[in-house]
Amino acid sequence: MQYSDNIIDALSIDCVIFGFKDTQLYVLLVKHGIGPTLGQWALPGSWIRYNESIDEAASRILSSQTSVGNIYLEQFKTFGDLERFPARRVITIAYYALVNIEKFELHAGPTEADVQWFKVWDVPTMAFDHKIIFESCLSFLKHKVQHEPIGFNLLPAKFTLLQLLELYEAILNQKLDKSNFRKKFLKMNLLVDTKERQQDVSHRAATLYSFDENIYNKLLDKGFIFEV
Amino acid sequence: MQYSDNIIDALSIDCVIFGFKDTQLYVLLVKHGIGPTLGQWALPGSWIRYNESIDEAASRILSSQTSVGNIYLEQFKTFGDLERFPARRVITIAYYALVNIEKFELHAGPTEADVQWFKVWDVPTMAFDHKIIFESCLSFLKHKVQHEPIGFNLLPAKFTLLQLLELYEAILNQKLDKSNFRKKFLKMNLLVDTKERQQDVSHRAATLYSFDENIYNKLLDKGFIFEV
DNA sequence: TAACCTTATAGTTAATTTTACCACAAGTAT
DNA sequence: ATACTTGTGGTAAAATTAACTATAAGGTTA
């Protein structure tokens, strides 16, 4: 099947899918159900078809793990060492996705024995060079969220400033000052006050904010630089 | 030839080679001497062999344009749209290199009609999607030099602070304050005072500095973050 | 119902960094 | 000797950051 005519047999795509829930950053892994890597955990991946672009291929892989659309998905890096794939020469293009874990309905693909979220600081051993891909992608994400407002993709559409803080703490793996963090973000004028409040919490309800891509783009035009 | 057994026929490598001289940032282009793109300018590129990693392939392409070694070379991004290569489906991995233009001896490869440095703000039309690759690589570089001390690779081993300033002005395409720029860099303790001076200038000779990778790595360990 | 949690939110202040300058130094050219 | 050019060090106001403090706004509990 892998050698069929409609796929490029020297090239694959692998996706690092990040999720966030309750102060924890997660990554989605699949357990292979067939082939020589049977039983091993790995990044969701697939071959590239001749009639799809690499972005479309990555998108297809993402869809195969879930039913929700409109997800943040970007190319990360291409891995092409000689020994990375034992059977034959295969180069893989790694993508990464940021998803709202609550809305993400998992379902394993036909060749997968299992699908599961793992805390990023506690991942199992993985097939091929996937551990290396994952680790370097995580440190890439760490850098990226400080220079571009993409973290919001990991949160619900409406979120509190504490959730945002905890997201950054999870990704950067360090404590941040709550008060200063609030001020920094509010001052950017990037967040929209939804005028709504948290529901069903056993303490003072926090304001819910949302992130508006359009506002960000307008700020960009004015020379705004996002920095955390 | 392109279909021969020892190359992966769906994958190529293209290199964006940057150089700097006299306040100007340049990119190296080759003019194709054979094939359907004969006479067109393009990024130096080649096919990937089955017995070399993608980093090695990029390195080989760089060597084919020059005789100097030890050049800064990093992967940039992979381009895989369906229509990017007309003849058949080819995905290309773009690399970028930063070279000291003075030490870089040009020589055209066997299939090249010409090799030439072009000012980055004044490049000719290019074959395939190479213009897109180049433009996005340039804006990537703009971002990169502000967060990592890689600009030095474009300068001679010993350089003045004015050269460094002009380099940043060229890449960022904006004027910078000379005095403040000096202070910022000197305060980082990243530059080594070589105790030498400029020679043969018709004005006060400036101190020559050099960049030491080891010092940077030691600073990194201490939590130093490079920022321009 | 009053005291007591917990988290939200608004300051305050000192330290640090940035920005926009100015002044003088050290050479060459006329 | 004077003018000119670039190098280099400095200053002071403005802006930002970092470390805290204080109070508000709920729900929970004795």
Side-chain angles (χ1 to χ4, degrees):
Chain A
M1 184 181 62
Q2 297 174 2
Y3 290 91
S4 95
D5 260 352
N6 74 334
I7 58 112
I8 304 175
D9 71 354
L11 257 187
S12 65
I13 299 246
D14 288 302
C15 291
V16 183
I17 305 173
F18 290 105
F20 176 75
K21 191 182 179 185
D22 298 334
T23 80
Q24 289 284 338
L25 188 62
Y26 293 85
V27 62
L28 189 75
L29 301 181
V30 299
K31 186 184 264 180
H32 285 181
I34 57 164
T37 52
L38 187 142
Q40 290 183 46
W41 289 100
L43 298 170
S46 174
W47 309 99
I48 301 169
R49 296 177 185 157
Y50 272 101
N51 63 353
E52 67 187 357
S53 72
I54 56 176
D55 288 353
E56 284 162 359
S59 205
R60 175 169 54 81
I61 293 164
L62 198 53
S63 310
S64 76
Q65 308 297 147
T66 184
S67 26
V68 291
N70 195 27
I71 286 173
Y72 182 89
L73 177 66
E74 292 282 331
Q75 190 189 129
F76 165 47
K77 194 178 173 180
T78 298
F79 293 79
D81 276 357
L82 284 177
E83 348 68 48
R84 65 165 299 279
F85 194 88
R88 61 180 204 277
R89 184 68 194 281
V90 177
I91 289 163
T92 196
I93 309 171
Y95 275 72
Y96 70 105
L98 305 182
V99 309
N100 177 352
I101 216 167
E102 309 283 0
K103 291 230 174 136
F104 206 83
E105 300 167 21
L106 292 186
H107 43 73
T111 62
E112 294 161 7
D114 199 358
V115 197
Q116 211 173 293
W117 289 107
F118 288 88
K119 291 178 184 170
V120 294
W121 313 114
D122 186 23
V123 292
T125 53
M126 301 183 203
F128 315 126
D129 56 352
H130 285 194
K131 185 70 151 272
I132 291 170
I133 295 176
F134 162 69
E135 295 288 357
S136 60
C137 192
L138 179 58
S139 86
F140 173 79
L141 178 66
K142 212 163 159 170
H143 189 263
K144 188 87 171 177
V145 292
Q146 297 183 71
H147 302 293
E148 271 178 65
I150 60 169
F152 305 100
N153 294 292
L154 289 158
L155 295 176
K158 296 171 183 178
F159 51 85
T160 69
L161 287 172
L162 184 59
Q163 280 179 295
L164 189 60
L165 171 86
E166 287 170 341
L167 171 65
Y168 271 87
E169 287 184 336
I171 298 176
L172 303 179
N173 201 21
Q174 64 172 304
K175 266 283 178 199
L176 299 170
D177 182 279
K178 192 161 67 163
S179 182
N180 293 334
F181 184 87
R182 288 175 62 84
K183 269 178 293 185
K184 181 178 280 177
F185 261 92
L186 290 177
K187 207 173 134 193
M188 289 184 196
N189 283 115
L190 207 59
L191 301 181
V192 181
D193 183 338
T194 65
K195 307 286 179 192
E196 291 175 52
R197 293 300 170 97
Q198 255 180 331
Q199 300 292 326
D200 306 317
V201 284
S202 69
H203 54 77
R204 176 174 175 183
T207 302
L208 291 170
Y209 292 89
S210 67
F211 171 71
D212 187 336
E213 189 80 30
N214 295 327
I215 293 181
Y216 175 57
N217 288 327
K218 276 183 201 156
L219 286 175
L220 273 186
D221 290 342
K222 292 184 196 162
F224 170 75
I225 294 172
F226 180 84
E227 279 285 341
V228 176
Chain B
M1 183 180 60
Q2 296 173 4
Y3 291 89
S4 95
D5 259 352
N6 73 334
I7 59 112
I8 304 175
D9 71 353
L11 256 186
S12 65
I13 299 245
D14 287 302
C15 290
V16 184
I17 305 173
F18 290 105
F20 176 76
K21 191 183 178 186
D22 299 334
T23 80
Q24 289 283 339
L25 187 63
Y26 293 85
V27 63
L28 189 75
L29 300 181
V30 299
K31 187 185 264 180
H32 285 180
I34 56 163
T37 51
L38 187 141
Q40 291 183 45
W41 289 100
L43 298 170
S46 174
W47 308 99
I48 301 169
R49 297 176 184 158
Y50 271 102
N51 62 353
E52 67 187 356
S53 72
I54 56 175
D55 288 352
E56 285 162 0
S59 208
R60 174 170 54 81
I61 292 164
L62 198 53
S63 310
S64 75
Q65 308 297 149
T66 185
S67 25
V68 292
N70 195 28
I71 287 174
Y72 181 88
L73 176 66
E74 291 283 330
Q75 189 188 129
F76 164 46
K77 193 178 174 181
T78 299
F79 293 79
D81 277 357
L82 284 177
E83 347 68 47
R84 64 165 299 280
F85 194 87
R88 61 181 204 275
R89 184 70 194 281
V90 177
I91 289 163
T92 196
I93 309 172
Y95 275 71
Y96 69 105
L98 305 181
V99 309
N100 177 353
I101 216 166
E102 309 283 1
K103 291 229 174 136
F104 206 83
E105 300 167 21
L106 292 186
H107 42 73
T111 62
E112 293 161 7
D114 200 358
V115 197
Q116 210 173 294
W117 288 106
F118 288 88
K119 291 178 184 169
V120 294
W121 313 115
D122 186 23
V123 292
T125 53
M126 301 183 203
F128 315 127
D129 56 352
H130 285 194
K131 185 69 151 273
I132 292 170
I133 295 176
F134 162 68
E135 295 288 357
S136 60
C137 192
L138 180 57
S139 85
F140 173 79
L141 178 66
K142 212 163 159 172
H143 189 263
K144 188 87 171 176
V145 292
Q146 297 182 71
H147 302 292
E148 271 179 66
I150 60 170
F152 306 100
N153 294 292
L154 289 158
L155 295 175
K158 296 171 183 178
F159 51 86
T160 69
L161 286 173
L162 184 59
Q163 281 179 295
L164 189 60
L165 171 86
E166 288 171 339
L167 171 66
Y168 272 87
E169 287 185 336
I171 298 176
L172 304 179
N173 201 23
Q174 64 172 306
K175 265 284 176 197
L176 299 171
D177 183 279
K178 191 162 66 164
S179 182
N180 293 334
F181 183 87
R182 289 174 62 82
K183 270 177 293 184
K184 180 177 281 177
F185 262 93
L186 291 177
K187 205 172 135 194
M188 289 184 196
N189 283 114
L190 207 59
L191 301 181
V192 181
D193 184 340
T194 66
K195 307 286 179 193
E196 292 176 52
R197 295 299 170 97
Q198 257 179 329
Q199 300 293 325
D200 305 319
V201 284
S202 70
H203 55 77
R204 175 175 176 182
T207 302
L208 291 171
Y209 292 89
S210 67
F211 171 72
D212 187 336
E213 189 80 31
N214 295 328
I215 293 181
Y216 174 57
N217 288 328
K218 275 182 201 156
L219 286 175
L220 273 187
D221 289 343
K222 292 184 196 162
F224 169 75
I225 293 173
F226 179 85
E227 279 284 341
V228 176

